[in-house]
Amino acid sequence: MKVSKGKGPVRKEKKEVLKPVVEDRKVGKRKAAIEADKSRRKLAKNAKLGKKDPNKPKRPASAFFVFLEEFRTIYKQEHPNVKAVSAVGKAGGEKWKSMSHAEKAPYEAKAAKRKSEYEKLMKAYNNKEEDTDDEEEEVAEKSKPIVKDDEEEESGEEDDEEEDDDDDED
């Protein structure tokens, strides 16, 4: 039974050993605070970006993605059992890397054609945006109220004279 008395101080030492672990938890809280701060930044960034306009033209596909459009159909015919999108992408990437510049040329030409069409659409889109912005500014200027300050000052002077008369009655 005396043996149990000896364990008492040992347990206290173990508690002291555990105390630095609590300090480690503070570091974890700091990490959590940093992560929360990062998520706030992302939310702020998204708020700055605003809503996307559904009428805005989509960006054109690059030469590689033009190649992938055709490659997908060929790959699916050759490998009907493979349904993973990642497998198609990996196989397409390997094939694209192994192709020469001459083999890539038709896809690059198609991508350049799509890019020129996109630029025309963007010019038209930007011109429409400028027109609508000008109209909104004109409407905002017309709706501003006109405030007259002269009338308010004259009515305030009469009230002061009446208060002075009340003090004389005492």
PDB file of all heavy atoms in Angstrom, residues 121-157:
ATOM      1  N   LEU A 121     -16.174  39.391 -81.024  1.00  0.00           N
ATOM      2  CA  LEU A 121     -17.319  39.348 -80.117  1.00  0.00           C
ATOM      3  C   LEU A 121     -17.086  40.223 -78.876  1.00  0.00           C
ATOM      4  O   LEU A 121     -18.002  40.896 -78.395  1.00  0.00           O
ATOM      5  CB  LEU A 121     -17.611  37.907 -79.682  1.00  0.00           C
ATOM      6  CG  LEU A 121     -18.154  36.969 -80.764  1.00  0.00           C
ATOM      7  CD1 LEU A 121     -18.209  35.542 -80.240  1.00  0.00           C
ATOM      8  CD2 LEU A 121     -19.536  37.419 -81.203  1.00  0.00           C
ATOM      9  N   MET A 122     -15.855  40.215 -78.378  1.00  0.00           N
ATOM     10  CA  MET A 122     -15.538  41.025 -77.202  1.00  0.00           C
ATOM     11  C   MET A 122     -15.608  42.525 -77.518  1.00  0.00           C
ATOM     12  O   MET A 122     -16.052  43.319 -76.679  1.00  0.00           O
ATOM     13  CB  MET A 122     -14.149  40.679 -76.658  1.00  0.00           C
ATOM     14  CG  MET A 122     -14.115  39.444 -75.782  1.00  0.00           C
ATOM     15  SD  MET A 122     -15.231  39.508 -74.369  1.00  0.00           S
ATOM     16  CE  MET A 122     -14.504  40.797 -73.392  1.00  0.00           C
ATOM     17  N   LYS A 123     -15.175  42.926 -78.708  1.00  0.00           N
ATOM     18  CA  LYS A 123     -15.279  44.334 -79.078  1.00  0.00           C
ATOM     19  C   LYS A 123     -16.740  44.766 -79.106  1.00  0.00           C
ATOM     20  O   LYS A 123     -17.101  45.823 -78.592  1.00  0.00           O
ATOM     21  CB  LYS A 123     -14.624  44.576 -80.443  1.00  0.00           C
ATOM     22  CG  LYS A 123     -13.120  44.585 -80.399  1.00  0.00           C
ATOM     23  CD  LYS A 123     -12.540  44.847 -81.762  1.00  0.00           C
ATOM     24  CE  LYS A 123     -11.019  44.766 -81.732  1.00  0.00           C
ATOM     25  NZ  LYS A 123     -10.432  44.951 -83.068  1.00  0.00           N
ATOM     26  N   ALA A 124     -17.580  43.928 -79.702  1.00  0.00           N
ATOM     27  CA  ALA A 124     -19.007  44.239 -79.756  1.00  0.00           C
ATOM     28  C   ALA A 124     -19.601  44.273 -78.345  1.00  0.00           C
ATOM     29  O   ALA A 124     -20.399  45.159 -78.018  1.00  0.00           O
ATOM     30  CB  ALA A 124     -19.731  43.209 -80.613  1.00  0.00           C
ATOM     31  N   TYR A 125     -19.203  43.327 -77.508  1.00  0.00           N
ATOM     32  CA  TYR A 125     -19.703  43.262 -76.130  1.00  0.00           C
ATOM     33  C   TYR A 125     -19.282  44.498 -75.342  1.00  0.00           C
ATOM     34  O   TYR A 125     -20.091  45.093 -74.621  1.00  0.00           O
ATOM     35  CB  TYR A 125     -19.166  41.994 -75.455  1.00  0.00           C
ATOM     36  CG  TYR A 125     -19.494  41.892 -73.989  1.00  0.00           C
ATOM     37  CD1 TYR A 125     -20.755  41.522 -73.566  1.00  0.00           C
ATOM     38  CD2 TYR A 125     -18.519  42.175 -73.034  1.00  0.00           C
ATOM     39  CE1 TYR A 125     -21.049  41.428 -72.216  1.00  0.00           C
ATOM     40  CE2 TYR A 125     -18.807  42.086 -71.684  1.00  0.00           C
ATOM     41  CZ  TYR A 125     -20.070  41.708 -71.280  1.00  0.00           C
ATOM     42  OH  TYR A 125     -20.348  41.626 -69.946  1.00  0.00           O
ATOM     43  N   ASN A 126     -18.027  44.907 -75.466  1.00  0.00           N
ATOM     44  CA  ASN A 126     -17.528  46.072 -74.744  1.00  0.00           C
ATOM     45  C   ASN A 126     -18.212  47.356 -75.206  1.00  0.00           C
ATOM     46  O   ASN A 126     -18.474  48.248 -74.398  1.00  0.00           O
ATOM     47  CB  ASN A 126     -16.015  46.200 -74.890  1.00  0.00           C
ATOM     48  CG  ASN A 126     -15.283  45.133 -74.099  1.00  0.00           C
ATOM     49  OD1 ASN A 126     -15.787  44.630 -73.105  1.00  0.00           O
ATOM     50  ND2 ASN A 126     -14.093  44.784 -74.552  1.00  0.00           N
ATOM     51  N   ASN A 127     -18.505  47.462 -76.504  1.00  0.00           N
ATOM     52  CA  ASN A 127     -19.216  48.640 -77.003  1.00  0.00           C
ATOM     53  C   ASN A 127     -20.617  48.708 -76.408  1.00  0.00           C
ATOM     54  O   ASN A 127     -21.097  49.786 -76.054  1.00  0.00           O
ATOM     55  CB  ASN A 127     -19.295  48.616 -78.532  1.00  0.00           C
ATOM     56  CG  ASN A 127     -17.937  48.881 -79.167  1.00  0.00           C
ATOM     57  OD1 ASN A 127     -17.063  49.482 -78.546  1.00  0.00           O
ATOM     58  ND2 ASN A 127     -17.764  48.422 -80.392  1.00  0.00           N
ATOM     59  N   LYS A 128     -21.295  47.575 -76.286  1.00  0.00           N
ATOM     60  CA  LYS A 128     -22.626  47.547 -75.671  1.00  0.00           C
ATOM     61  C   LYS A 128     -22.545  47.945 -74.209  1.00  0.00           C
ATOM     62  O   LYS A 128     -23.404  48.662 -73.703  1.00  0.00           O
ATOM     63  CB  LYS A 128     -23.247  46.151 -75.787  1.00  0.00           C
ATOM     64  CG  LYS A 128     -23.662  45.787 -77.185  1.00  0.00           C
ATOM     65  CD  LYS A 128     -24.266  44.400 -77.224  1.00  0.00           C
ATOM     66  CE  LYS A 128     -24.574  43.971 -78.636  1.00  0.00           C
ATOM     67  NZ  LYS A 128     -25.086  42.587 -78.691  1.00  0.00           N
ATOM     68  N   GLU A 129     -21.514  47.484 -73.508  1.00  0.00           N
ATOM     69  CA  GLU A 129     -21.338  47.816 -72.092  1.00  0.00           C
ATOM     70  C   GLU A 129     -21.144  49.318 -71.906  1.00  0.00           C
ATOM     71  O   GLU A 129     -21.700  49.915 -70.994  1.00  0.00           O
ATOM     72  CB  GLU A 129     -20.137  47.071 -71.508  1.00  0.00           C
ATOM     73  CG  GLU A 129     -20.373  45.603 -71.288  1.00  0.00           C
ATOM     74  CD  GLU A 129     -21.353  45.352 -70.155  1.00  0.00           C
ATOM     75  OE1 GLU A 129     -21.207  45.975 -69.089  1.00  0.00           O
ATOM     76  OE2 GLU A 129     -22.261  44.534 -70.349  1.00  0.00           O
ATOM     77  N   GLU A 130     -20.360  49.951 -72.776  1.00  0.00           N
ATOM     78  CA  GLU A 130     -20.115  51.379 -72.667  1.00  0.00           C
ATOM     79  C   GLU A 130     -21.402  52.162 -72.892  1.00  0.00           C
ATOM     80  O   GLU A 130     -21.677  53.145 -72.219  1.00  0.00           O
ATOM     81  CB  GLU A 130     -19.040  51.813 -73.667  1.00  0.00           C
ATOM     82  CG  GLU A 130     -17.659  51.318 -73.315  1.00  0.00           C
ATOM     83  CD  GLU A 130     -16.629  51.632 -74.381  1.00  0.00           C
ATOM     84  OE1 GLU A 130     -16.985  52.309 -75.386  1.00  0.00           O
ATOM     85  OE2 GLU A 130     -15.476  51.216 -74.215  1.00  0.00           O
ATOM     86  N   ASP A 131     -22.221  51.719 -73.848  1.00  0.00           N
ATOM     87  CA  ASP A 131     -23.484  52.394 -74.129  1.00  0.00           C
ATOM     88  C   ASP A 131     -24.422  52.318 -72.932  1.00  0.00           C
ATOM     89  O   ASP A 131     -25.054  53.310 -72.559  1.00  0.00           O
ATOM     90  CB  ASP A 131     -24.164  51.787 -75.360  1.00  0.00           C
ATOM     91  CG  ASP A 131     -23.378  52.051 -76.646  1.00  0.00           C
ATOM     92  OD1 ASP A 131     -22.545  52.991 -76.635  1.00  0.00           O
ATOM     93  OD2 ASP A 131     -23.612  51.340 -77.637  1.00  0.00           O
ATOM     94  N   THR A 132     -24.529  51.169 -72.301  1.00  0.00           N
ATOM     95  CA  THR A 132     -25.421  51.027 -71.152  1.00  0.00           C
ATOM     96  C   THR A 132     -24.906  51.805 -69.949  1.00  0.00           C
ATOM     97  O   THR A 132     -25.689  52.361 -69.187  1.00  0.00           O
ATOM     98  CB  THR A 132     -25.610  49.553 -70.756  1.00  0.00           C
ATOM     99  OG1 THR A 132     -24.332  48.969 -70.483  1.00  0.00           O
ATOM    100  CG2 THR A 132     -26.303  48.770 -71.846  1.00  0.00           C
ATOM    101  N   ASP A 133     -23.584  51.903 -69.776  1.00  0.00           N
ATOM    102  CA  ASP A 133     -23.018  52.678 -68.674  1.00  0.00           C
ATOM    103  C   ASP A 133     -23.331  54.166 -68.842  1.00  0.00           C
ATOM    104  O   ASP A 133     -23.656  54.861 -67.879  1.00  0.00           O
ATOM    105  CB  ASP A 133     -21.504  52.482 -68.584  1.00  0.00           C
ATOM    106  CG  ASP A 133     -21.122  51.107 -68.074  1.00  0.00           C
ATOM    107  OD1 ASP A 133     -22.004  50.439 -67.492  1.00  0.00           O
ATOM    108  OD2 ASP A 133     -19.948  50.714 -68.251  1.00  0.00           O
ATOM    109  N   ASP A 134     -23.253  54.676 -70.082  1.00  0.00           N
ATOM    110  CA  ASP A 134     -23.558  56.077 -70.339  1.00  0.00           C
ATOM    111  C   ASP A 134     -25.017  56.380 -70.015  1.00  0.00           C
ATOM    112  O   ASP A 134     -25.336  57.410 -69.427  1.00  0.00           O
ATOM    113  CB  ASP A 134     -23.264  56.435 -71.803  1.00  0.00           C
ATOM    114  CG  ASP A 134     -21.770  56.388 -72.113  1.00  0.00           C
ATOM    115  OD1 ASP A 134     -20.965  56.448 -71.153  1.00  0.00           O
ATOM    116  OD2 ASP A 134     -21.408  56.284 -73.307  1.00  0.00           O
ATOM    117  N   GLU A 135     -25.927  55.489 -70.389  1.00  0.00           N
ATOM    118  CA  GLU A 135     -27.349  55.687 -70.117  1.00  0.00           C
ATOM    119  C   GLU A 135     -27.622  55.678 -68.618  1.00  0.00           C
ATOM    120  O   GLU A 135     -28.415  56.484 -68.121  1.00  0.00           O
ATOM    121  CB  GLU A 135     -28.178  54.601 -70.802  1.00  0.00           C
ATOM    122  CG  GLU A 135     -28.160  54.698 -72.311  1.00  0.00           C
ATOM    123  CD  GLU A 135     -28.849  53.517 -72.979  1.00  0.00           C
ATOM    124  OE1 GLU A 135     -29.373  52.645 -72.258  1.00  0.00           O
ATOM    125  OE2 GLU A 135     -28.853  53.470 -74.220  1.00  0.00           O
ATOM    126  N   GLU A 136     -26.975  54.803 -67.869  1.00  0.00           N
ATOM    127  CA  GLU A 136     -27.177  54.728 -66.420  1.00  0.00           C
ATOM    128  C   GLU A 136     -26.684  56.000 -65.732  1.00  0.00           C
ATOM    129  O   GLU A 136     -27.305  56.480 -64.791  1.00  0.00           O
ATOM    130  CB  GLU A 136     -26.450  53.517 -65.848  1.00  0.00           C
ATOM    131  CG  GLU A 136     -27.093  52.196 -66.215  1.00  0.00           C
ATOM    132  CD  GLU A 136     -26.287  51.001 -65.737  1.00  0.00           C
ATOM    133  OE1 GLU A 136     -25.249  51.204 -65.091  1.00  0.00           O
ATOM    134  OE2 GLU A 136     -26.711  49.868 -66.019  1.00  0.00           O
ATOM    135  N   GLU A 137     -25.598  56.583 -66.203  1.00  0.00           N
ATOM    136  CA  GLU A 137     -25.079  57.814 -65.623  1.00  0.00           C
ATOM    137  C   GLU A 137     -26.040  58.971 -65.857  1.00  0.00           C
ATOM    138  O   GLU A 137     -26.265  59.798 -64.974  1.00  0.00           O
ATOM    139  CB  GLU A 137     -23.702  58.139 -66.206  1.00  0.00           C
ATOM    140  CG  GLU A 137     -22.600  57.213 -65.726  1.00  0.00           C
ATOM    141  CD  GLU A 137     -21.274  57.488 -66.392  1.00  0.00           C
ATOM    142  OE1 GLU A 137     -21.175  58.494 -67.146  1.00  0.00           O
ATOM    143  OE2 GLU A 137     -20.335  56.718 -66.166  1.00  0.00           O
ATOM    144  N   GLU A 138     -26.659  59.044 -67.060  1.00  0.00           N
ATOM    145  CA  GLU A 138     -27.608  60.113 -67.355  1.00  0.00           C
ATOM    146  C   GLU A 138     -28.834  60.008 -66.452  1.00  0.00           C
ATOM    147  O   GLU A 138     -29.316  61.015 -65.936  1.00  0.00           O
ATOM    148  CB  GLU A 138     -28.031  60.038 -68.825  1.00  0.00           C
ATOM    149  CG  GLU A 138     -26.917  60.411 -69.782  1.00  0.00           C
ATOM    150  CD  GLU A 138     -27.319  60.218 -71.236  1.00  0.00           C
ATOM    151  OE1 GLU A 138     -28.500  59.901 -71.488  1.00  0.00           O
ATOM    152  OE2 GLU A 138     -26.466  60.384 -72.112  1.00  0.00           O
ATOM    153  N   VAL A 139     -29.331  58.833 -66.224  1.00  0.00           N
ATOM    154  CA  VAL A 139     -30.498  58.625 -65.367  1.00  0.00           C
ATOM    155  C   VAL A 139     -30.161  59.007 -63.931  1.00  0.00           C
ATOM    156  O   VAL A 139     -30.958  59.638 -63.236  1.00  0.00           O
ATOM    157  CB  VAL A 139     -30.982  57.155 -65.443  1.00  0.00           C
ATOM    158  CG1 VAL A 139     -32.027  56.866 -64.394  1.00  0.00           C
ATOM    159  CG2 VAL A 139     -31.495  56.848 -66.839  1.00  0.00           C
ATOM    160  N   ALA A 140     -28.973  58.677 -63.467  1.00  0.00           N
ATOM    161  CA  ALA A 140     -28.562  58.988 -62.097  1.00  0.00           C
ATOM    162  C   ALA A 140     -28.451  60.498 -61.887  1.00  0.00           C
ATOM    163  O   ALA A 140     -28.818  61.021 -60.838  1.00  0.00           O
ATOM    164  CB  ALA A 140     -27.236  58.317 -61.777  1.00  0.00           C
ATOM    165  N   GLU A 141     -27.989  61.249 -62.873  1.00  0.00           N
ATOM    166  CA  GLU A 141     -27.858  62.697 -62.751  1.00  0.00           C
ATOM    167  C   GLU A 141     -29.224  63.367 -62.699  1.00  0.00           C
ATOM    168  O   GLU A 141     -29.436  64.334 -61.978  1.00  0.00           O
ATOM    169  CB  GLU A 141     -27.040  63.258 -63.918  1.00  0.00           C
ATOM    170  CG  GLU A 141     -25.565  62.905 -63.822  1.00  0.00           C
ATOM    171  CD  GLU A 141     -24.771  63.391 -65.032  1.00  0.00           C
ATOM    172  OE1 GLU A 141     -25.357  64.081 -65.890  1.00  0.00           O
ATOM    173  OE2 GLU A 141     -23.584  63.071 -65.112  1.00  0.00           O
ATOM    174  N   LYS A 142     -30.180  62.873 -63.447  1.00  0.00           N
ATOM    175  CA  LYS A 142     -31.515  63.462 -63.483  1.00  0.00           C
ATOM    176  C   LYS A 142     -32.271  63.228 -62.188  1.00  0.00           C
ATOM    177  O   LYS A 142     -33.113  64.030 -61.812  1.00  0.00           O
ATOM    178  CB  LYS A 142     -32.325  62.880 -64.653  1.00  0.00           C
ATOM    179  CG  LYS A 142     -31.825  63.339 -66.004  1.00  0.00           C
ATOM    180  CD  LYS A 142     -32.640  62.721 -67.115  1.00  0.00           C
ATOM    181  CE  LYS A 142     -32.129  63.124 -68.480  1.00  0.00           C
ATOM    182  NZ  LYS A 142     -32.887  62.476 -69.565  1.00  0.00           N
ATOM    183  N   SER A 143     -31.996  62.163 -61.487  1.00  0.00           N
ATOM    184  CA  SER A 143     -32.759  61.811 -60.290  1.00  0.00           C
ATOM    185  C   SER A 143     -32.229  62.440 -59.007  1.00  0.00           C
ATOM    186  O   SER A 143     -32.779  62.209 -57.947  1.00  0.00           O
ATOM    187  CB  SER A 143     -32.802  60.288 -60.128  1.00  0.00           C
ATOM    188  OG  SER A 143     -31.503  59.808 -59.915  1.00  0.00           O
ATOM    189  N   LYS A 144     -31.187  63.263 -59.072  1.00  0.00           N
ATOM    190  CA  LYS A 144     -30.643  63.896 -57.864  1.00  0.00           C
ATOM    191  C   LYS A 144     -31.600  64.978 -57.369  1.00  0.00           C
ATOM    192  O   LYS A 144     -32.055  65.818 -58.143  1.00  0.00           O
ATOM    193  CB  LYS A 144     -29.279  64.531 -58.147  1.00  0.00           C
ATOM    194  CG  LYS A 144     -28.171  63.523 -58.345  1.00  0.00           C
ATOM    195  CD  LYS A 144     -26.850  64.221 -58.550  1.00  0.00           C
ATOM    196  CE  LYS A 144     -25.736  63.217 -58.760  1.00  0.00           C
ATOM    197  NZ  LYS A 144     -24.462  63.878 -59.039  1.00  0.00           N
ATOM    198  N   PRO A 145     -31.925  65.025 -56.063  1.00  0.00           N
ATOM    199  CA  PRO A 145     -32.827  66.052 -55.531  1.00  0.00           C
ATOM    200  C   PRO A 145     -32.100  67.382 -55.339  1.00  0.00           C
ATOM    201  O   PRO A 145     -30.895  67.430 -55.110  1.00  0.00           O
ATOM    202  CB  PRO A 145     -33.246  65.478 -54.185  1.00  0.00           C
ATOM    203  CG  PRO A 145     -32.116  64.609 -53.788  1.00  0.00           C
ATOM    204  CD  PRO A 145     -31.571  64.044 -55.066  1.00  0.00           C
ATOM    205  N   ILE A 146     -32.882  68.472 -55.414  1.00  0.00           N
ATOM    206  CA  ILE A 146     -32.326  69.809 -55.221  1.00  0.00           C
ATOM    207  C   ILE A 146     -32.703  70.262 -53.813  1.00  0.00           C
ATOM    208  O   ILE A 146     -33.869  70.238 -53.433  1.00  0.00           O
ATOM    209  CB  ILE A 146     -32.886  70.791 -56.268  1.00  0.00           C
ATOM    210  CG1 ILE A 146     -32.502  70.305 -57.675  1.00  0.00           C
ATOM    211  CG2 ILE A 146     -32.390  72.197 -55.994  1.00  0.00           C
ATOM    212  CD1 ILE A 146     -33.156  71.099 -58.774  1.00  0.00           C
ATOM    213  N   VAL A 147     -31.725  70.712 -53.023  1.00  0.00           N
ATOM    214  CA  VAL A 147     -31.951  71.107 -51.640  1.00  0.00           C
ATOM    215  C   VAL A 147     -31.697  72.601 -51.501  1.00  0.00           C
ATOM    216  O   VAL A 147     -30.670  73.107 -51.946  1.00  0.00           O
ATOM    217  CB  VAL A 147     -31.014  70.322 -50.683  1.00  0.00           C
ATOM    218  CG1 VAL A 147     -31.210  70.786 -49.259  1.00  0.00           C
ATOM    219  CG2 VAL A 147     -31.236  68.849 -50.835  1.00  0.00           C
ATOM    220  N   LYS A 148     -32.664  73.315 -50.861  1.00  0.00           N
ATOM    221  CA  LYS A 148     -32.500  74.752 -50.616  1.00  0.00           C
ATOM    222  C   LYS A 148     -32.269  74.963 -49.128  1.00  0.00           C
ATOM    223  O   LYS A 148     -33.105  74.593 -48.310  1.00  0.00           O
ATOM    224  CB  LYS A 148     -33.745  75.507 -51.068  1.00  0.00           C
ATOM    225  CG  LYS A 148     -33.952  75.444 -52.563  1.00  0.00           C
ATOM    226  CD  LYS A 148     -35.142  76.252 -52.979  1.00  0.00           C
ATOM    227  CE  LYS A 148     -35.335  76.191 -54.481  1.00  0.00           C
ATOM    228  NZ  LYS A 148     -36.509  76.950 -54.910  1.00  0.00           N
ATOM    229  N   ASP A 149     -31.165  75.599 -48.774  1.00  0.00           N
ATOM    230  CA  ASP A 149     -30.806  75.805 -47.371  1.00  0.00           C
ATOM    231  C   ASP A 149     -31.279  77.160 -46.838  1.00  0.00           C
ATOM    232  O   ASP A 149     -31.378  77.359 -45.639  1.00  0.00           O
ATOM    233  CB  ASP A 149     -29.289  75.697 -47.188  1.00  0.00           C
ATOM    234  CG  ASP A 149     -28.788  74.287 -47.448  1.00  0.00           C
ATOM    235  OD1 ASP A 149     -29.589  73.360 -47.256  1.00  0.00           O
ATOM    236  OD2 ASP A 149     -27.625  74.132 -47.824  1.00  0.00           O
ATOM    237  N   ASP A 150     -31.580  78.141 -47.682  1.00  0.00           N
ATOM    238  CA  ASP A 150     -31.918  79.492 -47.251  1.00  0.00           C
ATOM    239  C   ASP A 150     -33.207  79.516 -46.430  1.00  0.00           C
ATOM    240  O   ASP A 150     -33.313  80.237 -45.431  1.00  0.00           O
ATOM    241  CB  ASP A 150     -32.052  80.420 -48.459  1.00  0.00           C
ATOM    242  CG  ASP A 150     -30.739  80.578 -49.213  1.00  0.00           C
ATOM    243  OD1 ASP A 150     -29.677  80.384 -48.583  1.00  0.00           O
ATOM    244  OD2 ASP A 150     -30.781  80.904 -50.406  1.00  0.00           O
ATOM    245  N   GLU A 151     -34.208  78.780 -46.793  1.00  0.00           N
ATOM    246  CA  GLU A 151     -35.498  78.795 -46.109  1.00  0.00           C
ATOM    247  C   GLU A 151     -35.375  78.222 -44.693  1.00  0.00           C
ATOM    248  O   GLU A 151     -36.015  78.698 -43.764  1.00  0.00           O
ATOM    249  CB  GLU A 151     -36.525  77.991 -46.888  1.00  0.00           C
ATOM    250  CG  GLU A 151     -36.845  78.594 -48.239  1.00  0.00           C
ATOM    251  CD  GLU A 151     -37.765  77.696 -49.046  1.00  0.00           C
ATOM    252  OE1 GLU A 151     -38.179  76.635 -48.540  1.00  0.00           O
ATOM    253  OE2 GLU A 151     -38.057  78.063 -50.181  1.00  0.00           O
ATOM    254  N   GLU A 152     -34.564  77.222 -44.506  1.00  0.00           N
ATOM    255  CA  GLU A 152     -34.406  76.587 -43.198  1.00  0.00           C
ATOM    256  C   GLU A 152     -33.756  77.540 -42.186  1.00  0.00           C
ATOM    257  O   GLU A 152     -34.113  77.561 -41.016  1.00  0.00           O
ATOM    258  CB  GLU A 152     -33.574  75.313 -43.312  1.00  0.00           C
ATOM    259  CG  GLU A 152     -34.250  74.229 -44.126  1.00  0.00           C
ATOM    260  CD  GLU A 152     -33.334  73.035 -44.327  1.00  0.00           C
ATOM    261  OE1 GLU A 152     -32.233  73.004 -43.759  1.00  0.00           O
ATOM    262  OE2 GLU A 152     -33.735  72.142 -45.076  1.00  0.00           O
ATOM    263  N   GLU A 153     -32.835  78.380 -42.606  1.00  0.00           N
ATOM    264  CA  GLU A 153     -32.129  79.282 -41.704  1.00  0.00           C
ATOM    265  C   GLU A 153     -33.057  80.373 -41.175  1.00  0.00           C
ATOM    266  O   GLU A 153     -33.001  80.761 -40.022  1.00  0.00           O
ATOM    267  CB  GLU A 153     -30.931  79.904 -42.421  1.00  0.00           C
ATOM    268  CG  GLU A 153     -29.822  78.907 -42.703  1.00  0.00           C
ATOM    269  CD  GLU A 153     -28.683  79.529 -43.495  1.00  0.00           C
ATOM    270  OE1 GLU A 153     -28.734  80.746 -43.773  1.00  0.00           O
ATOM    271  OE2 GLU A 153     -27.758  78.797 -43.848  1.00  0.00           O
ATOM    272  N   GLU A 154     -33.965  80.901 -42.029  1.00  0.00           N
ATOM    273  CA  GLU A 154     -34.877  81.969 -41.617  1.00  0.00           C
ATOM    274  C   GLU A 154     -35.850  81.492 -40.547  1.00  0.00           C
ATOM    275  O   GLU A 154     -36.156  82.203 -39.608  1.00  0.00           O
ATOM    276  CB  GLU A 154     -35.641  82.492 -42.831  1.00  0.00           C
ATOM    277  CG  GLU A 154     -34.746  83.239 -43.798  1.00  0.00           C
ATOM    278  CD  GLU A 154     -35.495  83.632 -45.066  1.00  0.00           C
ATOM    279  OE1 GLU A 154     -36.714  83.383 -45.134  1.00  0.00           O
ATOM    280  OE2 GLU A 154     -34.869  84.181 -45.975  1.00  0.00           O
ATOM    281  N   SER A 155     -36.367  80.295 -40.647  1.00  0.00           N
ATOM    282  CA  SER A 155     -37.333  79.792 -39.672  1.00  0.00           C
ATOM    283  C   SER A 155     -36.680  79.521 -38.322  1.00  0.00           C
ATOM    284  O   SER A 155     -37.331  79.605 -37.292  1.00  0.00           O
ATOM    285  CB  SER A 155     -38.011  78.524 -40.198  1.00  0.00           C
ATOM    286  OG  SER A 155     -37.043  77.502 -40.357  1.00  0.00           O
ATOM    287  N   GLY A 156     -35.426  79.252 -38.248  1.00  0.00           N
ATOM    288  CA  GLY A 156     -34.721  78.956 -37.005  1.00  0.00           C
ATOM    289  C   GLY A 156     -34.495  80.186 -36.152  1.00  0.00           C
ATOM    290  O   GLY A 156     -34.410  80.122 -34.934  1.00  0.00           O
ATOM    291  N   GLU A 157     -34.423  81.389 -36.731  1.00  0.00           N
ATOM    292  CA  GLU A 157     -34.166  82.615 -35.993  1.00  0.00           C
ATOM    293  C   GLU A 157     -35.368  83.025 -35.144  1.00  0.00           C
ATOM    294  O   GLU A 157     -35.235  83.570 -34.070  1.00  0.00           O
ATOM    295  CB  GLU A 157     -33.802  83.736 -36.963  1.00  0.00           C
ATOM    296  CG  GLU A 157     -32.461  83.503 -37.648  1.00  0.00           C
ATOM    297  CD  GLU A 157     -32.192  84.568 -38.706  1.00  0.00           C
ATOM    298  OE1 GLU A 157     -32.994  85.490 -38.867  1.00  0.00           O
ATOM    299  OE2 GLU A 157     -31.168  84.441 -39.376  1.00  0.00           O
TER     300      GLU A 157
END
